[in-house]
Amino acid sequence: LRSVGDGMLLMRDRGLHSFKMVRTALQQKSHILGRVPAHVKFEVVKTFKDGSYLSWIAPDGKSKKKGATRIAVRVIEYVVEENGTEKVYRLITDLMDISTFPALLLAREYHQRWEAENTLDELKVHLNGRKIAIRSKNPREVVQEIYGWLLGHYCIRLTMFQSAAIEGISPLRLSFTGSLRVIRRAIPLFLQNVSYSQNIDIYFSWLVSEILDLEIPPPQNRSNPRVVKKTRSKFKSKKRHHRNNSTPRQQLSFQIFKTDNRSIIPICP
């Protein structure tokens, strides 16, 4: 939360719901939009025209002792059909203006938060292109390499945004991997003609046209159920009481006896 600032929208999953997070985000003058678990109950104080309603969240025990009071929130409930079954989603937000932020708009934007996973894939897999993400050994050089890494991704995404703005489409409709290949081919040409400003404009126009040719169809409604693979082992999983329960070590002992020729032989049974 230290990076959340004025005017930002903080979106989170239901596993991170807490009164402290909501309070801290609002104190930093940012907005919230997050899902809440099923066990959290809300009182309907006022119903809005778009189907959402006004409610509040109560402080936890520690926050209440410090003088915290309940916070007014707007609750948005909707149903999403996944594989033939209906699933209820409940979101809370501090955005109370239903004309500027209708419930349907906030519900759609909440599901767009998974685009951050695509950004991590672009950085770690496609843009980096090597097994060792950071080659530097010193902390200062590591920070420098990360900054260069992020600046490279920003330049590619900025070029894709400028290209999409010319065509009037969303930047998400352009292929990142295709744009990366186009920019890699264009860099040597740019370096050869960097001293001529008129040629740079020509090459940039060519770059934009090449990126616009990489338009992809809109993504389909995808869902990823929370399931685990079935174990293939016939043995039960290891528990805490199974630890330090191995076979005890065999204790060795020696016996000494005398033979007829008076020699002594140690024997280990």
Side-chain angles (χ1 to χ4, degrees):
L1 292 176
R2 60 184 180 184
S3 301
V4 178
D6 187 8
M8 293 185 179
L9 178 62
L10 175 62
M11 293 190 290
R12 52 163 179 78
D13 199 5
R14 58 181 174 179
L16 301 176
H17 171 71
S18 66
F19 178 85
K20 293 181 180 180
M21 176 175 290
V22 174
R23 183 187 182 188
T24 304
L26 296 180
Q27 287 177 348
Q28 297 179 199
K29 299 182 180 180
S30 64
H31 303 286
I32 58 168
L33 178 63
R35 189 180 175 188
V36 292
H39 67 273
V40 180
K41 307 301 180 182
F42 294 101
E43 176 187 356
V44 181
V45 179
K46 178 183 178 183
T47 304
F48 298 108
K49 294 182 180 180
D50 61 348
S52 59
Y53 57 89
L54 178 66
S55 185
W56 49 269
I57 56 176
D60 55 276
K62 292 183 179 180
S63 301
K64 193 173 183 179
K65 291 180 180 179
K66 296 180 180 180
T69 58
R70 61 185 187 179
I71 300 176
V73 293
R74 176 184 168 199
V75 184
I76 303 172
E77 293 187 6
Y78 57 97
V79 178
V80 176
E81 185 177 353
E82 296 181 359
N83 300 325
T85 59
E86 294 183 349
K87 195 172 184 179
V88 179
Y89 282 76
R90 297 188 306 164
L91 308 179
I92 60 171
T93 181
D94 66 313
L95 301 172
M96 301 295 181
D97 189 356
I98 62 174
S99 59
T100 307
F101 306 102
L104 183 59
L105 174 64
L106 294 179
R108 289 177 177 175
E109 293 301 323
Y110 176 75
H111 290 274
Q112 289 294 327
R113 77 192 191 281
W114 291 110
E115 293 295 335
E117 300 292 336
N118 295 335
T119 303
L120 297 177
D121 178 73
E122 295 168 359
L123 283 167
K124 299 171 64 175
V125 179
H126 303 290
L127 186 58
N128 197 348
R130 58 173 183 260
K131 294 182 179 180
I132 302 177
I134 305 298
R135 297 174 296 179
S136 304
K137 302 299 181 180
N138 299 326
R140 185 172 183 176
E141 296 176 355
V142 169
V143 174
Q144 182 180 6
E145 189 171 352
I146 292 177
Y147 268 101
W149 196 9
L150 296 176
L151 286 174
H153 182 269
Y154 173 78
C155 292
I156 297 174
R157 273 297 176 183
L158 178 61
T159 308
M160 294 173 62
F161 174 80
Q162 294 174 344
S163 304
I166 295 175
E167 194 68 16
I169 61 176
S170 173
L172 301 177
R173 296 287 303 276
L174 299 177
S175 172
F176 178 84
T177 56
S179 302
L180 178 60
R181 289 192 293 265
V182 170
I183 292 176
R184 283 175 174 172
R185 294 198 308 266
I187 287 178
L189 300 177
F190 275 43
L191 294 177
Q192 294 176 4
N193 300 274
V194 69
S195 58
Y196 304 98
S197 59
Q198 64 274 15
N199 292 341
I200 292 180
D201 297 335
I202 295 175
Y203 279 110
F204 184 76
S205 301
W206 166 81
L207 184 64
V208 170
S209 62
E210 289 287 327
I211 293 178
L212 289 176
D213 291 337
L214 303 172
E215 184 177 354
I216 57 179
Q220 300 178 354
N221 296 326
R222 295 170 293 180
S223 62
N224 187 17
R226 292 187 174 182
V227 294
V228 295
K229 293 182 179 180
K230 187 179 295 185
T231 176
R232 297 182 180 181
S233 176
K234 64 179 180 179
F235 301 103
K236 297 181 180 180
S237 59
K238 189 173 184 179
K239 304 297 182 180
R240 183 180 296 273
H241 63 272
H242 293 142
R243 300 175 183 174
N244 300 325
N245 196 21
S246 58
T247 304
R249 295 181 179 181
Q250 183 179 6
Q251 300 294 331
L252 301 181
S253 60
F254 292 89
Q255 295 180 0
I256 301 176
F257 65 97
K258 296 182 179 181
T259 60
D260 296 338
N261 54 3
R262 303 296 181 176
S263 61
I264 300 175
I265 304 175
I267 296 181
C268 175

